[in-house]
Amino acid sequence: MTPLQALFAVLREEGVTRIFGNPGTTELPLLDALTELPEFEYTLGLQEGSVMAMADGYARATGRTAFVNLHVAAGLANGMVGMLNAARSRTPLVVTAGQQDRRHLAQDPMLAGDLVGIARPVAKQVFDVQHAYDLPLLLRRAFALAARPPAGPVFLSLPMDLMAELTEVSLPSRSVVAPAGPAPGLADAARLLAAARSPVIVAGDGVGRDAAVPALVAVAEALGATVYHQPMNDGVDFPGSHPLHAGTLPARHAGIRAALTGHDVVLIAGCHAFTPHHYTPEHPLPDGITVVQLDSDPAEIGRNFGADRGLVGGIRASLQGLAALLTGTADGSAERLAAGRLAAERRDAELARQLGGLRAVAPIDPLAAAAAVAAGLPDNAVLVEEAITTGVLLRRVLRLDRPGSYVHTVGGGLGSGIGAAVGHRLGDPRRPVVAVLGDGCTMFGLQGLWSAVRYRVPVTFVVMNNGEYRTLKHTLDDIDGPSARQRRYLGLDLGPPALDFTRAAAFFGMDAIRVRDTNELTETLAKAGTRDAPLLIDVPITGHRHPEEDA
């Protein structure tokens, strides 16, 4: 078979049925061949950021490595943000980009560039394919590496002339890898946890990725342990309505330390080293706390803090083993579970009290808008969140229990929300998808709306429209305290003119509404599961206020 035929053969055997891309001249051999291969669906994005975000969402929804095809150095550079997000969120992707014809690379042709050099900082591994006979082997290797813990994007540079060669190449067979088993040392770790006076668990995103939520629930209930999600979690790693769930840890070491103070043993499961956002000088772990750390990636053990017991193995298999060892061994677990129920009831009552005094008509208070979203979500919905300040509030009001119901990225590359929502719905059309977006994030990825309309993907996009970069104003106020009342904010406002996202949706041919109050928002979202086309909801929310106004 030819190199191009071998590429498609590998894709078939790896379970790929959809190719995400934005093409150029170097991709013409691949595109031309696809016209004769109906088993592959080519999904077009108008900019590489949207392409990468769609592939990321699709990989998460299907549980399979997604395949992306970009165009030369400039296209790859545009896609780097998506590769960075995938690397930090542990999403398995195989990303390719067409290189210029090798026969004139020495002449520095237009569009050529050092593709592997561009991709190396954000890829798990890079391959510069220079020989036709290497393409099947390296592509097969790329799929294996992308899925191996820690999962992430793997990049291949594919010269245009190589893809058009008629050279005969051989196809290496696919390896079937058994799932990782339980970590050694579980019995010793179980003894430490069972002896704890006040155990606490940090549920990392590795738990959700390994379908290990039920096993972690069993461990938590056996211990009666308080459970926190990792800072800025990317998914549902513990049921939000469970009485032992205490919310999400803040993305500052000082806040993490405060939350964990008073506990004597902590189980940190599948969590990437806490990854703080703002700097605080405190160590994240209280003095004297005993640390049991579990991860499928050996590099995580002891990465940023010492582990008294470091466990390396399959997260689901290891938690299942721990649960079996812990059942009936922890004194006081029933009392701690009852205390957790009381604490959860108090938190819910305080939240209800706060919501009772908030503005419910446009412009809506952000917390009230977040609560309206939570109230309107269909039971089986997937929430894709890229809303920054409103997203933090959403984490307070959401009570999502079903794994896979929440999608976020800790990558930091803005503009992923629209594409991720489209890709997720393409990957799992059985569940309605609602994307909650900040207005600034929406502008970063606006062209992704075109793909939603083009492929008639029934995502409901909710844009929290306050006309500003509110999180940056909050950060400045936190730094300066009361002196912020004299502050002018440079470059942090998106108006005038005010952004009207209903008009942006209309440009792409998408239906849109601007809601007037929280009731209309909740009622509109409740119909998300019945739509057969995308809809954009523009939600006017109140903007930033100075600290003395809040007081």
Side-chain angles (χ1 to χ4, degrees), residues 15 118 124 128 153-154 288 322 381 388 414:
I118 293 171
K124 185 176 178 181
D128 189 4
V154 176
L322 272 179
I388 315 300
L414 299 183

Side-chain angles (χ1 to χ4, degrees), residues 172-509:
S173 59
R174 183 177 186 270
S175 298
V176 179
V177 180
L186 290 182
D188 193 25
R191 282 191 292 271
L192 281 176
L193 292 166
R197 169 186 48 79
S198 178
V200 63
I201 295 173
V202 178
D205 286 323
V207 175
R209 286 193 298 269
D210 203 21
V213 174
L216 186 61
V217 170
V219 170
E221 291 179 347
L223 293 170
T226 300
V227 182
Y228 290 99
H229 266 98
Q230 72 168 61
M232 303 305 294
N233 53 297
D234 273 356
V236 174
D237 306 313
F238 196 83
S241 66
H242 196 285
L244 291 174
H245 185 239
T248 301
L249 288 174
R252 299 187 183 197
H253 280 174
I256 296 169
R257 185 181 181 91
L260 300 184
T261 293
H263 297 282
D264 57 338
V265 180
V266 59
L267 169 62
I268 301 172
C271 176
H272 176 55
F274 289 142
T275 56
H277 186 196
H278 299 293
Y279 170 77
T280 54
E282 295 85 354
H283 192 279
L285 298 176
D287 297 338
I289 195 168
T290 298
V291 177
V292 178
Q293 187 179 8
L294 166 65
D295 210 283
S296 56
D297 178 10
E300 286 298 334
I301 305 300
R303 180 182 179 91
N304 283 351
F305 46 79
D308 296 278
R309 296 294 184 275
L311 307 174
V312 179
I315 293 175
R316 178 173 49 181
S318 299
L319 289 174
Q320 288 170 341
L322 272 179
L325 291 167
L326 288 168
T327 301
T329 64
D331 293 335
S333 59
E335 291 81 358
R336 289 193 288 268
L337 181 59
R341 289 194 179 96
L342 289 175
E345 290 172 3
R346 286 195 295 267
R347 287 194 299 271
D348 288 345
E350 173 59 20
L351 178 61
R353 185 194 65 78
Q354 292 181 28
L355 289 170
L358 298 180
R359 182 182 175 93
V361 297
I364 303 167
D365 182 274
L367 181 57
V373 169
L377 281 179
D379 289 340
N380 63 335
V382 175
L383 177 65
V384 177
E385 183 264 301
E386 194 190 19
I388 315 300
T389 46
T390 306
V392 172
L393 301 175
L394 265 172
R395 292 168 189 267
R396 287 183 56 195
V397 300
L398 287 172
R399 299 293 183 266
L400 298 177
D401 292 338
R402 182 176 174 180
S405 297
Y406 185 77
V407 178
H408 179 68
T409 178
V410 292
L414 299 183
S416 67
I418 293 175
V422 173
H424 207 288
R425 185 62 195 255
L426 288 172
D428 185 1
R430 301 166 300 175
R431 301 182 67 181
V433 175
V434 173
V436 179
L437 314 163
D439 48 4
C441 296
T442 302
M443 293 302 296
F444 271 79
L446 193 65
Q447 65 280 347
L449 297 179
W450 180 90
S451 295
V453 174
R454 167 70 177 270
Y455 300 106
R456 201 169 179 84
V457 186
V459 172
T460 303
F461 300 97
V462 182
V463 181
M464 297 296 180
N465 188 354
N466 58 15
E468 63 185 358
Y469 294 146
R470 183 170 184 160
T471 186
L472 300 182
K473 293 182 179 180
H474 281 325
T475 302
L476 284 170
D477 289 351
D478 287 346
I479 293 171
D480 284 358
S483 66
R485 62 179 175 270
Q486 278 90 38
R487 177 176 295 284
R488 291 177 60 249
Y489 300 101
L490 180 64
L492 303 186
D493 291 293
L494 304 183
L499 297 176
D500 183 346
F501 286 95
T502 63
R503 297 176 66 183
F507 173 76
F508 291 108

Side-chain angles (χ1 to χ4, degrees), residues 14 55-66 91-92 147 209 424 427-428:
E14 296 290 346
D56 191 309
Y58 184 83
R60 297 201 205 188
T62 61
R64 302 193 306 269
T65 301
T91 306
R209 286 193 298 269
H424 207 288
D428 185 1

Side-chain angles (χ1 to χ4, degrees), residues 6-8 10-11 14 67 94 96 127 129 134-144 156:
L7 180 145
F8 290 122
V10 171
L11 295 187
E14 296 290 346
F67 183 74
V94 171
T96 62
F127 297 106
V129 183
D134 285 335
L135 175 58
L137 176 65
L138 295 179
L139 186 60
R140 186 76 81 189
R141 188 181 300 172
F143 273 95
L156 299 95

